[in-house]
Amino acid sequence: MKYKKVPDAWKLAHVAPIHKKGNRKLVANYRPVSLTSVTCKLMEKIICSYITNHITVNSYFSMAQHGFIKGRSITTQLLEIMDQWTLAFDNNNQIDCLYLDFKKAFDSVSHKLLVYKLKMYNISESIISWIESFVHNRKQAVQISGTKSKWTVVKSGVPQGSILGPLLFLLFINDIPSLVNSNVMLFADDTKIWRKIQDENDILILQQDLKIIEHWCKTWKLYLNTEKCKYMEITTGEFNDTIYKLSDKEMTKVKFEKDIGIIFDSKLEFDRHILEKANKANSTFGMIRRTFKHLDERTFIPLYKAISRCHFDFGTVIWNPYKEQYNDQIERVQRRATKCIPNLNKLSYIDRLKKIKLPCLKFRRLRGDMIELYKLFNGGYDNQILRNLLKTKEKSLVRHSRRGHGFMLQTQTFKTKYRKHFFSVRVTNWWNSLPGYVVNAKTVNGFKNKFDSYCSNQRIYYDHKYRPEVTNFNEHSRSDHSGLLG
């Protein structure tokens, strides 16, 4: 790279404050997203591709990192966590999980220390020089409703809203998991550290790991927001009186916590998450009813799917309920919504769904499971994620068989209901029941279309009360394959 300096015009950013949560009058509750030069973004894209390829080829990314990395996502992180937590429940172990929150994480990264860390990854000197120029002496101004503040020099941080910003932050915190003995999961600045608690020694190790992270924060000048750091005991039994300290203060103990958009509770039941989603879906459909006085089939479907039903689509592979009371609670939202269509309100719920060709929400969750499994098998996610989820200590769960399709899964054993209803266990019989032409689809969209076509005439497509006897399923029988889906 001949020119290692970034033009001053590329380092000017108009900041758009985006409200996160809480009181709108508090500045701390806003995320400062930088609107930067489009030309600069093109250059950032080239630099970002080079660095990402370099880091990936050399396997520098920690496996604990799941944000802003190809093949990893919110879903992959939470699936790995639930896999390990449900296995712990099967062995009657408790999990202690510490949720850590960095104070103004993206805005607090030291430019000098960032450059030092980039050199540790053997990145080209010319690229590092360009990045040093990119982050140094940046200026920003806040613009709201046509009114703009004065330009201010940015002395630290990576710009939110830029192409390079997230990657630079990931590299800055990438060494945290290697420092501790407990398990760590990272999604951008959301950090979790957890451990199976079998005796007092495990509690001491987890506390010591917390001190190590505190020391890391002081060393690299990226501090924790002690007021927002919490911990949760996750157990099927009674809770202990364990105390964890951060900066010599007791951490707040909670019984539920929103983790990357999904509310986890101490029993892994997800009842609070389901209640919140049901309330939001009902609320948004109420907005539709107030806005549109006349709803017919043609207008109902796109509005309902885009504004109301979407609340139940995110992360279903994690919180998919196994209790009928939760299934009914979710389905009531759609039952109530479809009653608003004229000329259909006298029909039964199933007949209304058939009339407008809208699947029940239970089928939507089954469909989501199958799509995620298809992605795992077909390179949609990091190969290590596939190996972590679909294997045991003894052998791979993937069973190559002449009968059925080429991706048959071996049935897993379980001791508790939590493990029984976890993703990699509950999908086995359903997945094995699919015909080869569906499983062997060439693309994700092709799989969706073939799966929908195959299931559209099945009982489970519309009837959320339908519960096939999957435990007696004979995976070698063609008749049982078709019977599983009704």
Side-chain angles (χ1 to χ4, degrees):
M1 182 181 289
K2 185 177 180 180
Y3 301 104
K4 303 174 184 178
K5 292 187 177 180
V6 178
D8 289 340
W10 287 10
K11 296 193 285 186
L12 300 178
H14 289 94
V15 174
I18 307 297
H19 181 253
K20 294 188 290 185
K21 59 182 179 180
N23 190 343
R24 290 181 177 271
K25 294 182 179 180
L26 297 179
V27 176
N29 291 334
Y30 287 81
R31 177 178 286 109
V33 176
S34 299
L35 305 177
T36 58
S37 165
V38 175
T39 308
C40 184
K41 285 181 181 291
L42 293 174
M43 189 63 185
E44 286 182 69
K45 183 70 174 178
I46 296 171
I47 301 291
C48 187
S49 297
Y50 169 81
I51 297 176
T52 301
N53 183 65
H54 172 76
I55 298 296
T56 303
V57 168
N58 291 282
S59 301
Y60 287 146
F61 275 130
S62 167
M63 283 306 299
Q65 294 264 26
H66 285 260
F68 306 109
I69 299 176
K70 185 179 180 181
R72 305 185 204 173
S73 65
I74 291 174
T75 299
T76 59
Q77 187 197 104
L78 297 183
L79 276 177
E80 285 205 72
I81 287 176
M82 285 292 290
D83 181 39
Q84 296 175 58
W85 288 2
T86 53
L87 280 173
F89 274 21
D90 254 18
N91 295 318
N92 200 29
N93 293 137
Q94 175 181 309
I95 299 292
D96 279 7
C97 181
L98 313 181
Y99 291 93
L100 307 181
D101 183 84
F102 288 106
K103 186 184 297 183
K104 300 295 181 183
F106 278 72
D107 301 323
S108 302
V109 174
S110 165
H111 295 161
K112 183 178 179 180
L113 295 177
L114 172 63
V115 171
Y116 175 80
K117 283 210 167 187
L118 292 177
K119 292 178 180 179
M120 295 170 59
Y121 292 107
N122 298 318
I123 297 172
S124 167
E125 284 291 338
S126 58
I127 296 294
I128 292 178
S129 296
W130 191 92
I131 292 175
E132 187 173 11
S133 176
F134 172 75
V135 298
H136 180 67
N137 202 31
R138 297 185 66 88
K139 293 182 179 180
Q140 65 182 29
V142 180
Q143 187 168 359
I144 301 176
S145 302
T147 303
K148 188 171 72 173
S149 68
K150 295 181 179 180
W151 290 103
T152 304
V153 176
V154 180
K155 298 181 180 180
S156 65
V158 292
Q160 298 187 56
S162 65
I163 304 295
L164 266 176
L167 176 61
L168 297 178
F169 183 79
L170 293 187
L171 295 176
F172 193 78
I173 65 170
N174 193 53
D175 58 330
I176 291 178
S178 63
L179 302 176
V180 299
N181 295 307
S182 302
N183 301 279
V184 177
M185 280 292 182
L186 305 171
F187 189 91
D189 59 333
D190 289 316
T191 305
K192 292 181 287 292
I193 175 172
W194 61 271
R195 188 176 185 85
K196 287 190 292 186
I197 305 300
Q198 297 174 305
D199 51 41
E200 290 291 330
N201 187 54
D202 288 315
I203 297 174
L204 295 176
I205 292 173
L206 191 55
Q207 178 64 68
Q208 181 60 35
D209 288 338
L210 186 57
K211 289 183 178 179
I212 291 173
I213 292 178
E214 275 194 274
H215 179 71
W216 181 94
C217 291
K218 292 178 181 178
T219 302
W220 299 101
K221 299 180 181 180
L222 190 66
Y223 300 103
L224 293 172
N225 188 338
T226 55
E227 298 298 321
K228 293 184 178 181
C229 293
K230 308 168 186 176
Y231 81 95
M232 182 165 61
E233 293 179 357
I234 304 168
T235 178
T236 58
E238 296 182 359
F239 299 109
N240 298 325
D241 295 325
T242 309
I243 294 175
Y244 293 99
K245 291 188 176 182
L246 183 62
S247 300
D248 296 325
K249 295 181 180 179
E250 291 186 12
M251 291 181 68
T252 303
K253 181 178 179 180
V254 296
K255 291 188 176 180
F256 58 90
E257 177 69 12
K258 180 170 282 191
D259 188 356
I260 333 179
I262 296 179
I263 301 175
F264 280 72
D265 58 57
S266 55
K267 299 292 184 182
L268 296 184
E269 295 287 358
F270 299 105
D271 53 334
R272 285 182 177 271
H273 180 82
I274 292 169
L275 177 61
E276 180 186 272
K277 293 304 175 184
N279 289 339
K280 282 187 177 180
N282 277 324
S283 176
T284 52
F285 188 74
M287 180 187 67
I288 294 174
R289 289 191 64 185
R290 291 190 299 272
T291 307
F292 297 86
K293 294 182 179 180
H294 303 287
L295 278 176
D296 55 22
E297 295 177 29
R298 184 176 61 86
T299 56
F300 170 83
I301 294 295
L303 287 171
Y304 170 70
K305 287 182 178 180
I307 300 177
S308 186
R309 191 181 72 177
C310 60
H311 292 288
F312 293 119
D313 288 340
F314 174 71
T316 57
V317 293
I318 308 300
W319 58 266
N320 196 332
Y322 61 89
K323 291 183 178 180
E324 283 305 307
Q325 68 185 82
Y326 298 145
N327 282 319
D328 292 341
Q329 183 179 9
I330 295 169
E331 212 69 42
R332 275 198 297 270
V333 176
Q334 185 161 279
R335 182 187 292 113
R336 186 181 297 113
T338 54
K339 268 195 169 185
C340 296
I341 304 175
N343 304 322
L344 296 185
N345 52 10
K346 293 183 179 180
L347 298 177
S348 67
Y349 176 50
I350 293 177
D351 288 338
R352 292 199 299 274
L353 295 182
K354 289 180 178 179
K355 183 71 174 176
I356 59 179
K357 296 181 180 179
L358 188 70
C360 66
L361 295 176
K362 183 177 181 178
F363 173 79
R364 288 280 299 176
R365 297 192 293 276
L366 170 62
R367 181 179 185 266
D369 282 352
M370 297 299 103
I371 291 171
E372 292 301 324
L373 195 52
Y374 176 86
K375 289 180 181 178
L376 282 168
F377 276 123
N378 291 275
Y381 293 124
D382 190 305
N383 287 334
Q384 186 62 44
I385 307 298
L386 174 65
R387 289 191 288 270
N388 289 347
L389 288 176
L390 301 181
K391 75 172 186 180
T392 61
K393 293 181 180 179
E394 296 78 22
K395 55 188 176 181
S396 170
L397 292 179
V398 181
R399 180 176 61 79
H400 299 286
S401 172
R402 292 183 178 180
R403 301 192 180 192
H405 52 74
F407 298 97
M408 302 289 282
L409 293 176
Q410 196 74 274
T411 302
Q412 297 185 60
T413 58
F414 50 83
K415 298 177 183 177
T416 64
K417 61 183 179 181
Y418 304 99
R419 187 65 185 174
K420 175 183 178 181
H421 296 286
F422 172 64
F423 171 76
S424 66
V425 180
R426 70 172 182 260
V427 297
T428 302
N429 290 329
W430 294 106
W431 177 260
N432 290 345
S433 73
L434 296 177
Y437 78 88
V438 176
V439 173
N440 295 319
K442 300 297 184 183
T443 64
V444 175
N445 285 334
F447 175 81
K448 292 177 182 178
N449 293 334
K450 291 180 179 180
F451 182 76
D452 289 343
S453 177
Y454 174 69
C455 297
S456 60
N457 294 322
Q458 309 287 357
R459 183 177 173 185
I460 194 174
Y461 195 79
Y462 296 114
D463 187 359
H464 73 284
K465 295 287 188 181
Y466 176 58
R467 299 183 65 186
E469 295 296 328
V470 295
T471 54
N472 296 325
F473 172 62
N474 178 357
E475 63 184 5
H476 299 302
S477 168
R478 287 179 177 268
S479 61
D480 283 344
H481 284 189
S482 59
L484 183 60
L485 287 171

